[in-house]
């Protein structure tokens, strides 16, 4: 620090060195988020005919990520503008959402969307039942092709996002 007098003005000069502590963000935000995304992404490697496990694994990841967002946002100062951490969570929540959509699309490839009515003498209203068509090698290979595309696209997009995010945050 430095002080001085210039005529009738008194001045004080202080120098404060500030550095960012990256480890807190890495441990509390980046690592858990990437781990949850990896869990959701790994559901793409489950057998394409096992929709329930694929869907439930990715939905669970999305719900845990949303609760992580809430806990991290509660510790941040309230601002009216968009923060980098908001962009980080927006990307990962959207990405996991699209993984879930890809599971749904795969399930729809082999489901016959014609609705059939079943006779039921007890009830006045006849239930509408969606019956799957038999899985043929052609529909199975189509599902595996779509799944392979998803396996390749999701990590590539995430690596591109992470690269730009980290480079931008280091310069900003």
């Amino acid at each position: 620090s430095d002080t001085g007098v210039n005529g009738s003005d008194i001045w004080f000069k202080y120098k404060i060195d500030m550095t960012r502590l990256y480890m807190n963000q890495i441990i509390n935000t980046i690592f858990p988020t990437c781990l949850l995304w990896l869990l959701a992404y790994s559901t793409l490697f489950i057998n394409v005919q096992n929709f329930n496990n694929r869907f439930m694994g990715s939905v669970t990841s999305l719900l845990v990520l949303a609760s992580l967002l809430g806990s991290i946002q509660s510790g941040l100062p309230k601002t009216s503008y968009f923060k980098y951490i908001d962009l980080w969570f927006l990307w990962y929540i959207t990405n996991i959402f699209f993984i879930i959509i890809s599971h749904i699309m795969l399930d729809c490839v082999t489901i016959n969307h014609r609705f059939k009515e079943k006779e039921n003498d007890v009830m006045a209203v006849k239930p509408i039942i969606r019956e799957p068509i038999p899985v043929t090698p052609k529909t199975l290979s189509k599902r595996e092709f779509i799944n392979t595309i998803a396996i390749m696209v999701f990590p590539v997009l995430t690596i591109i996002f992470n690269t730009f995010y980290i480079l931008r945050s280091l310069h900003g």
Side-chain angles (χ1 to χ4, degrees):
S1 70
D2 191 18
T3 60
V5 177
N6 186 6
S8 64
D9 295 330
I10 301 173
W11 52 271
F12 299 96
K13 186 191 284 186
Y14 293 98
K15 181 180 177 186
I16 301 172
D17 292 325
M18 300 180 85
T19 59
R20 286 189 179 173
L21 301 175
Y22 292 102
M23 284 310 290
N24 186 38
Q25 284 82 14
I26 290 171
I27 291 170
N28 293 327
T29 305
I30 293 174
F31 180 71
T33 305
C34 290
L35 200 60
L36 288 168
W37 178 84
L38 193 59
L39 179 64
Y41 173 72
S42 68
T43 61
L44 293 168
F45 293 96
I46 297 173
N47 186 343
V48 293
Q49 294 177 313
N50 195 347
F51 173 75
N52 287 338
N53 288 337
R54 292 168 61 100
F55 184 78
M56 293 306 293
S58 54
V59 167
T60 301
S61 295
L62 182 62
L63 293 173
V64 173
L65 185 61
S67 68
L68 178 65
L69 168 64
S71 69
I72 288 176
Q73 290 287 1
S74 68
L76 295 175
K78 305 289 184 237
T79 60
S80 60
Y81 55 87
F82 197 72
K83 299 180 286 291
Y84 279 119
I85 194 72
D86 297 328
L87 178 64
W88 178 265
F89 277 109
L90 178 67
W91 170 262
Y92 278 96
I93 287 173
T94 304
N95 197 291
I96 293 175
F97 173 76
F98 281 116
I99 288 173
I100 294 168
I101 295 299
S102 72
H103 293 320
I104 293 169
M105 284 176 41
L106 284 176
D107 191 52
C108 289
V109 167
T110 57
I111 291 180
N112 185 357
H113 291 287
R114 292 178 292 135
F115 294 102
K116 297 183 178 182
E117 294 182 12
K118 279 193 160 186
E119 296 289 334
N120 192 341
D121 296 328
V122 178
M123 298 178 69
V125 178
K126 297 178 184 176
I128 298 175
I129 297 175
R130 189 174 79 168
E131 295 181 6
I133 61 172
V135 178
T136 64
K138 182 179 179 183
T139 58
L140 189 57
S141 66
K142 187 175 182 181
R143 291 175 90 184
E144 289 171 349
F145 175 75
I146 294 170
N147 194 56
T148 303
I149 296 297
I151 287 172
M152 291 186 297
V153 167
F154 285 114
V156 168
L157 293 176
T158 301
I159 289 169
I160 291 170
F161 170 78
N162 287 347
T163 302
F164 283 118
Y165 183 87
I166 291 169
L167 289 176
R168 178 67 179 126
S169 65
L170 290 177
H171 293 92

